């Protein structure tokens, strides 16, 4: 069912970061592991606009071992840990401009049994993937995926739903209260009415 789906073209990731954050909504995020394959439709994202964004890891062009991949070409996985959870960002922006899009929530598509087993404390199906640290556990995304090009298996993004512009909502990002005025930027995007968004 997934084998006939081709990864998104590399050119897709060269959109301006705010546009990419909206364009990723409805796309299918797929992770193949030795246990099997799990996939979900992206339903919520957050944009981080690098050097000028106080909420971004790369604020002021901060270049560290952690942020290095963000200075490369768009379309690669930027995984990082926060409060012991692994989070997945899609590198965006031109090469040398460290921007990214955080995947905040997905709607399960395939690999339900795997997701359920990986999220044993979840009270229901919604809680498998309705947050950035939850979805990585459910899909089997780890820090080992750092730098992986997202147009190649075993970890890739392909076409999914068509999301019309009037279905896309925007609001302030979550969990960045210590980032000055950046905490109010309306750079979180989600599909209106979707049951799996984080809040």
């Amino acid at each position: 069912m997934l084998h006939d789906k081709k990864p998104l073209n590399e050119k897709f990731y060269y959109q301006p970061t705010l546009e990419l954050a909206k364009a990723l909504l409805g796309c299918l995020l797929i992770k193949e592991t030795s246990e099997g394959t799990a996939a979900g439709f992206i339903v919520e994202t957050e944009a981080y606009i690098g050097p000028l964004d106080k909420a971004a890891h790369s604020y002021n062009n901060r270049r560290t071992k952690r942020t290095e991949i963000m200075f490369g070409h768009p379309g690669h996985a930027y995984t990082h840990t926060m409060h012991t959870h692994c989070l997945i960002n899609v590198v965006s922006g031109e090469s040398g401009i460290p921007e990214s899009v955080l995947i905040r929530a997905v709607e399960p598509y395939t690999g339900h049994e795997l997701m359920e087993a990986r999220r044993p404390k979840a009270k229901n199906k919604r809680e498998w993937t309705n947050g950035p640290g939850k979805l990585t556990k459910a899909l089997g995304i780890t820090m080992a995926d750092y730098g992986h090009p997202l147009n190649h298996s075993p970890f890739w993004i392909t076409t999914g739903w068509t999301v019309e512009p009037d279905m896309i909502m925007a609001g302030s990002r979550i969990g960045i209260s210590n980032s000055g005025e950046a905490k109010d930027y309306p750079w979180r995007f989600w599909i209106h009415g979707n049951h799996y968004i984080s809040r």
Side-chain angles (χ1 to χ4, degrees):
M1 127 178 90
L2 295 174
H3 296 296
D4 58 347
K5 285 194 147 301
K6 294 180 179 176
L8 294 173
N9 190 288
E10 187 181 358
K11 291 178 183 173
F12 172 84
Y13 297 102
Y14 280 81
Q15 302 180 59
T17 297
L18 291 175
E19 294 306 310
L20 179 63
K22 291 181 274 190
L24 282 165
L25 294 173
C27 292
L28 190 60
L29 183 67
I30 302 164
K31 179 67 192 289
E32 301 163 337
T33 68
S34 58
E35 302 167 294
T37 300
F41 295 103
I42 298 169
V43 298
E44 184 180 1
T45 60
E46 280 180 348
Y48 287 88
I49 313 289
L52 302 177
D53 181 357
K54 288 182 180 177
H57 293 162
S58 53
Y59 176 59
N60 267 345
N61 272 315
R62 190 182 301 127
R63 192 163 188 160
T64 65
K65 186 178 179 182
R66 176 169 81 160
T67 64
E68 184 62 32
I69 191 64
M70 295 171 72
F71 287 84
H73 296 293
H76 289 74
Y78 168 43
T79 49
H80 62 91
T81 53
M82 183 170 285
H83 309 307
T84 73
H85 301 294
C86 175
L87 307 189
I88 173 64
N89 293 57
V90 176
V91 174
S92 58
E94 296 288 334
S95 181
I97 301 174
E99 302 180 357
S100 71
V101 176
L102 173 69
I103 312 260
R104 275 203 67 89
V106 304
E107 178 172 323
Y109 172 59
T110 190
H112 289 66
E113 289 180 5
L114 263 180
M115 293 190 204
E116 186 173 26
R118 289 167 172 165
R119 297 278 299 124
K121 294 181 180 177
K123 297 183 181 73
N124 52 53
K125 183 178 173 183
R126 178 176 180 266
E127 289 191 359
W128 293 351
T129 57
N130 68 332
K134 297 175 182 180
L135 74 89
T136 53
K137 288 186 184 72
L139 295 181
I141 298 166
T142 70
M143 286 302 298
D145 294 306
Y146 181 94
H148 182 79
L150 292 166
N151 59 345
H152 291 284
S153 65
F155 181 30
W156 45 294
I157 299 175
T158 185
T159 53
W161 303 328
T162 298
V163 179
E164 300 296 340
D166 62 357
M167 294 171 63
I168 298 175
M169 309 300 290
S172 56
R173 295 171 295 182
I174 296 171
I176 55 166
S177 55
N178 60 346
S179 54
E181 72 278 2
K183 74 182 192 308
D184 299 318
Y185 297 163
W187 291 351
R188 178 169 70 100
F189 303 98
W190 65 93
I191 298 176
H192 180 65
N194 189 274
H195 188 54
Y196 290 85
I197 62 172
S198 59
R199 66 172 74 168

